[in-house]
Amino acid sequence: MFDAAGQRWGVTDAAIGILLATLCSLGWAWLTRTVIIDEWAQVLGAYLAVWVPLLLVLAIADAARGRRSRWRDFGLRFTWLDLLWGAGIGLLARGAVTLIELAATGRTSLEGGVLGLPTGFAFWFGVLLAPVVLGPLIEELFYRGLVLRAVARTTRRAGGSRPVAASVAVIVSALVFALAHLVVGGAVSTAPARITFAGALVLGLAAGALAAATGRLGGAVIAHVVFNGTLIAALVAG
């Protein structure tokens, strides 16, 4: 599935990245409740609080404990086939989440109805650029590039076969991805939070399976872009 030669990073690195991102995100959320901060700074800080720790761990794993190649370490590569598969998987995942929303609430997030979309930087960065472009790339690099591969290698070393290692890695990386979204969103006991968890889990399983099958992140990134992009398009159009 993956070429692990020359890689010394593993689940410990993944755990450190997740812990740092969680602490920074919770810390920023506390700060915004305590201090008056401009809307654009709140939006930027919320994303950076998650992204910076993940990127820091990725950079250290690649430069100090890997092969200094985003392709060989994390599978960051795109092909035209990834575009096709990624778009299809992203749409299927969004369709599955829509069915979950209908079953749970009787309506879907694709129906729009959002009042008071932000303007200026908060809109262009917080609504468009971050969730549709930057977020999918950074999150797939970490969760499907580092976490999934680390779990797969650990499972293989424990005696698991390649199919078992791939299956365990896909499930674990998806669960961690979904839990991270639950923590960042706060209020974990609410119905919207549970739907957010379910949606992130569906996307994580789909993107993880695609990454494991191809050995590349291209399809997973495209799937993530399409998954988020269809929702954003519906909200903006509505």
Side-chain angles (χ1 to χ4, degrees), residues 94-95 98 101 107-113 227 230-232 234-235 238:
R94 175 53 65 190
T98 298
E101 291 173 337
R107 68 184 305 274
T108 79
S109 54
L110 295 179
E111 295 174 11
F227 182 85
T230 51
L231 175 60
I232 297 301
L235 295 179

Side-chain angles (χ1 to χ4, degrees), residues 1 151-169:
M1 177 175 62
V151 173
R153 289 207 309 272
T154 299
T155 306
R156 285 283 285 164
R157 289 169 182 165
S161 64
R162 291 174 68 88
V164 169
S167 299
V168 170

Side-chain angles (χ1 to χ4, degrees), residues 78-188:
F78 293 83
T79 70
W80 286 109
L81 191 60
D82 292 330
L83 181 61
L84 177 64
W85 276 105
I89 292 297
L91 289 173
L92 286 174
R94 175 53 65 190
V97 172
T98 298
L99 293 177
I100 292 173
E101 291 173 337
L102 280 173
T105 67
R107 68 184 305 274
T108 79
S109 54
L110 295 179
E111 295 174 11
V114 175
L115 299 177
L117 281 173
T119 58
F121 178 84
F123 175 78
W124 292 107
F125 181 82
V127 176
L128 298 181
L129 183 61
V132 180
V133 180
L134 298 178
L137 179 59
I138 295 170
E139 291 176 8
E140 291 308 315
L141 258 173
F142 185 81
Y143 289 102
R144 256 61 70 180
L146 190 148
V147 176
L148 188 147
R149 289 170 176 242
V151 173
R153 289 207 309 272
T154 299
T155 306
R156 285 283 285 164
R157 289 169 182 165
S161 64
R162 291 174 68 88
V164 169
S167 299
V168 170
V170 168
I171 293 171
V172 170
S173 63
L175 282 171
V176 172
F177 177 69
L179 287 171
H181 279 72
L182 192 63
V183 171
V184 170
V188 298

Side-chain angles (χ1 to χ4, degrees), residues 2 5 12 17 25 34-35 38 60 75 81 98 132 134 145-146 156 162 175 203 214:
F2 305 121
T12 300
S25 179
T34 307
V35 180
D38 289 340
I60 293 174
L81 191 60
T98 298
V132 180
L134 298 178
L146 190 148
R156 285 283 285 164
R162 291 174 68 88
L175 282 171
L203 174 61
T214 63

Side-chain angles (χ1 to χ4, degrees), residues 21-30 32-33 46-47 49-50 139 143 176-197 200:
T22 300
L23 291 176
C24 289
S25 179
L26 293 175
W28 180 254
W30 173 84
T32 57
R33 292 193 300 268
Y47 281 106
V50 176
E139 291 176 8
Y143 289 102
V176 172
F177 177 69
L179 287 171
H181 279 72
L182 192 63
V183 171
V184 170
V188 298
S189 63
T190 65
R194 291 193 290 270
I195 293 176
T196 296
F197 174 83

